[in-house]
Amino acid sequence: MTTEVSKPKTAAMRSYQNFINGKWVSPISGQIYERKSPITGQTIVQIPWSDQADADTAIQAARQAFDRGNWSKSHAYTRHDVLGKIAQALRVKASELAQTLCEEVGRPLEICLGEVQITAQVYDYFAGLALDVKGESITQHDSSAIGLTIHEPVGVVGIITPWNFPLLLVSWKIAPALAAGCTMVVKPSEFTPSSTFMLAEIIAQAGVPEGVINIVTGDGPVVGERLVESPLVDKIAFTGSTAIGRRIMAKAAPTLKRISLELGGKSPNIVFPDADLAAAVGGAFFGIYLNSGQVCQAGSRLLLHESIKDEFVEQLVAATKNIKLGDPMDSTTTMGPVINEKQFDRIQGYIQAGQTDGAKMLIGGSGRYSVEGLEQGLFVQPTIFDAVNGEMAIAREEIFGPVLSVISFKDEADALQIANNSMYGLTAAVWTKNLDTAMRMAKGIRVGTVWVNTYHTAGLEPCMPYGGYKQSGIGRELGHKGLEEYFETKSIQIKLGN
Ligand code: NAD
């Protein structure tokens, strides 16, 4: 199904309350947080700035809903039907949701519409999987005994999400959690909260009982950490930075909570001389510039074989010159602003570090890029550094902005060594026409997803598991593996009488 993007309206102020036990409620303190637009600098959303007591109320609601059993023990067809209704409602509201995402994330409207559409597919996919949960029977070991394994929902899930793909990434958790029969408390990022509140409304209208899904907004170290520490929460599903992921793992230890962590990356995008060069240039461009580079799987390390480096870089710089920075509501804009002042300053720091560390800046540069009429917009110039070595911060650290580091390599072994020289292990891409090269590289790189002759296709197929090696995370989302994260497995051993 395709959806028309309606003509963009001027951003209107939105205001939300927490969603707890099926009701919209103010935070106990009465405090609110005002999110300013990354495009205009004006306040566009007001949300509760909750404290631990609000989180506790939501946790209680989720706990009681789980223990009541009207969702956790519901028939699989009930969960299947509800998930299907959510997918359908997302498609009906696609235009409104896309506009909201565009205003809060600052990403071009068409890409926001794409986020809504692939999110709907995630609910369709887990609607199907809800009908296909099976355990094992072990009957051949002992003729006088039968062993069974059964799956049970893990319980109350605390869901904590970032701002870059707010609707999709929260749904990678909510959809399997609902399919498994879990209840949940969700804390979205304060920078992009609206789509999560809109989703809560859709989920409630689809027939999910009260208390199954609860949304509480507030400061990560206050509300998020309460979810992590509460003994009433059984599992944390987190997407965000590696630094916060480490903290969550430590804070979850006293209650031995189940955790799944989707964290940062510094993905190598590797081009061999036999590759289709035009396609690889397109892949490098899309790989680094999607969402102004604010993507965990961004191809931020471009590894080029030394024999093609100059020609490749020339084409990539030429393509970069054509990027149009501006209002993401305008259909001619190809890149919007970055998310907030903190992220803007962080990216500026890396552009300056690249220059002081001796990398060669081919295009771009530091400073606020001025768009006429949007002088408060947080626009960063797409920037490419050549002659980058593995010691430089721009080669090692996640920048989360439109800043590309080009590194040349001599041969396959060299490329593999450079690719694996990272604490991250989220994704990688290889561009070659040689299947042997592609497969040797795909097997040799220590990451959770390898693309061959394509980029950023992870997440487009809900049946493919997604997650990181090394310090890019723990656990997998999507696919059968993604559903398993929301189950406990119980073994039942039966001794047969004579
Ligand atoms: P972040 O780690 O700053 O915040 C993520 C979430 O955690 C937010 O909701 C935040 O409020 C909350 N939080 C902050 N401190 C907390 C604490 N002490 N306890 C509990 N929760 C806390 O990340 P961000 O800036 O929102 O997002 C960017 C990061 O997310 C990047 O590092 C990016 O690579 C990563 N990311 C990873 C994936 C993936 O699938 N691997 C996808 C998207 C983004």
Side-chain angles (χ1 to χ4, degrees), residues 343-359:
Q343 187 58 18
F344 180 87
D345 291 344
R346 184 181 151 84
I347 299 167
Q348 300 301 318
Y350 279 109
I351 296 175
Q352 283 150 15
Q355 289 170 291
T356 35
D357 287 351

Side-chain angles (χ1 to χ4, degrees), residues 320-335:
T320 301
K321 281 186 185 147
N322 291 329
I323 289 176
K324 186 179 168 225
L325 283 158
D327 183 352
M329 288 283 182
D330 177 343
S331 61
T332 63
T333 294
T334 45
M335 190 184 284

